[in-house]
Amino acid sequence: MNLTDFILEHEAGDTAALLLSRTRWPEIDMDKAVTAIECRKRLRSKLPEWYAVPGIEYPDRLAAEQCSSSETASYKASVISRILGKCRLADLTGGLGVDSAAFSKVCKSVLYNEMSPARAAAAEKNFKLLGRDNVKVINHIACGDSPIWDELKAFSPDIIFIDPARRSDTGSKVFLIEECSPDIIGLMGRMTECCGKILIKLSPMADIAMAVSRLENAGAKVREVHCVEAGGECKELLILCDNDWAGDSRLIVFRDGKSLDISGLEEHTPTYPASDGEMMSMKYIFEPGKALAKSGAFNAICNTPSRFVKAGEHTHLYLSALEPDPEDELLSFGKLFRIKEITALDKRSIALFGKRYPDSDVSARNIKLTSDELRSRLRSKSGGPTHIFGFRVDFGGKENGPARTRNYIIAAERI
């Protein structure tokens, strides 16, 4: 039995038991087999096209854990294709190779560099198995060394992609761009000597304004910032630097296969409920998705065709007394609910809503209770058709002086 057959035969089994009984299969590299089985379990839904090829080699679990999903890799490739068409791309931090494989579908040629020899060797084999014949694999330990820059200049890329590791030497997570490895800020000068366009992938926890500021201080011109959502979570930030770009930076959100440029919408002043009477007339509530929330464009939602009002300066929920415009593209980047009941938030209303909606998801926003605490007081179990929101409203908004505030509880049903 070869390694691939063994993996397929035992991929539903207990990997700990396999390791303990390794002597039963002396011809099998059990550590390699177990790593592949565990990685395949992780990637079955994340990377279905890789899972479909049993011979794919997984050099380590971390590479599979940190790699892009099919959805996010394809999105990055679509950004490259839109900007440059059939181009030459250099991936300086190849990892498992998922992004390079996606890039190879839209690019003329891809140069994949990986600092780990084991990952580079696995990637070279995997690209062939996946039919990605236009990817050249190189293995340079440090991006600051001369050999890689000689290779880059010879390859003459139209764009560089870099995804720095977001862990310190001790293994703890880091979020500042200068703490990642390799140091993008320190390498910016050398990268721009090779080509004027650089696509950077950052942690979804990174501060967008701070990252853009650091890059521009290092001499980069930021053309686009992308907040990428998949599986209900903001998975990554993409920053496209283009030294030939003369316009303003664009802010783009991606969710469920759709992308939307929301640049400019944020510049307008939001509107807020004016009174308790207006609050009681509200019929719809909109909750931004994770990518839209990460973008920080909290005023943009008030400036779309649906004209929502914002619940409060730091309460990122949006309300309307009118039926939202079905042509409003922004509605695809969050959840829209129809309000069933609304009242002031107090002990009595909590008890009442708990009895009326015993099976409800619960969210608390900008009040003293957390979502878990509010759920506990409601004695609600998740899973029903109703979503209960407890949140604070700033009447008129703080731009108009000290705001009068009041807490509300809403029961709503997803549209």
Side-chain angles (χ1 to χ4, degrees):
M1 180 184 295
N2 63 30
L3 182 63
T4 300
D5 290 340
F6 181 88
I7 290 167
L8 290 175
E9 185 175 321
H10 294 88
E11 68 177 353
D14 184 338
T15 52
L18 288 175
L19 289 170
L20 290 172
S21 58
R22 66 172 72 224
T23 54
R24 290 180 55 191
W25 299 279
E27 75 280 12
I28 299 296
D29 183 335
M30 193 58 69
D31 291 325
K32 196 171 186 178
V34 165
T35 296
I37 290 169
E38 292 182 351
C39 289
R40 281 173 58 78
K41 287 178 180 178
R42 178 181 291 274
L43 299 181
R44 184 169 189 167
S45 58
K46 184 179 180 181
L47 281 174
E49 70 274 28
W50 285 57
Y51 177 84
V53 182
I56 291 286
E57 187 172 313
Y58 301 95
D60 56 79
R61 294 171 181 81
L62 189 61
E65 178 185 325
Q66 295 181 336
C67 73
S68 297
S69 66
S70 295
E71 185 177 12
T72 58
S74 295
Y75 178 68
K76 286 191 281 289
S78 73
V79 172
I80 298 294
S81 180
R82 172 173 57 82
I83 298 296
L84 288 167
K86 284 284 186 181
C87 65
R88 299 169 65 83
L89 179 143
D91 182 349
L92 297 190
T93 49
L96 191 60
V98 175
D99 287 323
S100 282
F103 293 141
S104 72
K105 296 178 182 180
V106 300
C107 293
K108 187 185 304 179
S109 55
V110 174
L111 182 69
Y112 160 105
N113 177 66
E114 169 52 46
M115 294 180 282
S116 160
R119 290 183 181 182
E124 188 151 32
K125 173 187 174 183
N126 294 340
F127 290 141
K128 291 177 182 177
L129 288 172
L130 292 164
R132 312 322 308 162
D133 299 326
N134 58 339
V135 183
K136 178 184 177 181
V137 174
I138 59 175
N139 170 220
H140 290 294
I141 303 300
C143 286
D145 292 347
S146 295
I148 191 171
W149 300 106
D150 294 338
E151 293 251 22
L152 273 177
K153 288 177 181 177
F155 180 70
S156 187
D158 299 299
I159 188 167
I160 290 172
F161 173 70
I162 188 164
D163 174 13
R166 294 175 285 277
R167 291 188 182 273
S168 67
D169 294 338
T170 61
S172 59
K173 290 185 179 182
V174 296
F175 304 110
L176 295 178
I177 192 169
E178 60 268 29
E179 293 179 344
C180 298
S181 178
D183 176 9
I184 297 174
I185 301 301
L187 292 175
M188 187 57 66
R190 300 197 74 168
M191 287 193 289
T192 53
E193 284 178 7
C194 294
C195 70
K197 294 179 177 61
I198 302 161
L199 182 64
I200 302 165
K201 174 184 169 182
L202 295 177
S203 163
M205 299 299 292
D207 183 289
I208 295 175
M210 186 180 295
V212 168
S213 175
R214 297 278 202 281
L215 289 166
E216 291 186 337
N217 287 341
K221 173 63 177 175
V222 174
R223 175 172 175 170
E224 294 177 356
V225 176
H226 298 251
C227 301
V228 181
E229 181 178 338
E233 296 293 333
C234 186
K235 293 294 187 181
E236 56 195 45
L237 297 179
L238 302 175
I239 300 182
L240 176 64
C241 300
D242 183 352
N243 284 0
D244 297 324
W245 183 249
D248 295 329
S249 298
R250 314 303 293 170
L251 181 60
I252 298 167
V253 291
F254 172 81
R255 181 179 192 256
D256 293 339
K258 298 179 181 179
S259 62
L260 181 66
D261 186 335
I262 58 174
S263 310
L265 290 177
E266 182 63 8
E267 297 171 2
H268 304 283
T269 301
T271 52
Y272 301 91
S275 65
D276 180 71
E278 184 178 352
M279 271 301 301
M280 300 305 289
S281 72
M282 294 301 175
K283 304 296 184 186
Y284 297 90
I285 184 166
F286 178 75
E287 180 184 32
K290 296 298 176 65
L292 185 55
K294 178 61 189 180
S295 76
F298 295 118
N299 295 347
I301 300 163
C302 298
N303 297 290
T304 67
S306 296
R307 295 291 174 183
F308 286 94
V309 296
K310 194 169 187 286
E313 183 182 15
H314 300 295
T315 307
H316 305 310
L317 292 171
Y318 300 82
L319 303 141
S320 177
L322 303 174
E323 186 172 350
D325 187 332
E327 300 299 319
D328 191 343
E329 292 182 281
L330 205 69
L331 297 180
S332 298
F333 296 85
K335 297 177 182 178
L336 181 65
F337 299 84
R338 182 178 287 106
I339 295 172
K340 299 165 72 173
E341 189 171 359
I342 178 170
T343 190
L345 176 65
D346 54 30
K347 291 181 179 179
R348 182 178 175 277
S349 62
I350 289 174
L352 182 63
F353 273 52
K355 290 178 180 178
R356 286 183 178 172
Y357 312 105
D359 301 309
S360 302
D361 292 322
V362 178
S363 298
R365 300 291 175 84
N366 200 22
I367 58 176
K368 291 182 178 179
L369 298 174
T370 66
S371 295
D372 285 340
E373 288 169 342
L374 180 56
R375 182 183 298 108
S376 177
R377 295 194 185 188
L378 288 161
R379 298 181 181 178
S380 177
K381 297 179 181 178
S382 299
T386 304
H387 195 119
I388 295 176
F389 295 91
F391 60 97
R392 190 178 85 174
V393 170
D394 297 331
F395 291 114
K398 291 188 176 180
E399 288 90 346
N400 301 317
R404 184 173 68 84
T405 67
R406 191 175 189 185
N407 296 337
Y408 286 85
I409 187 168
I410 280 179
E413 192 167 16
R414 178 82 181 269
I415 297 176

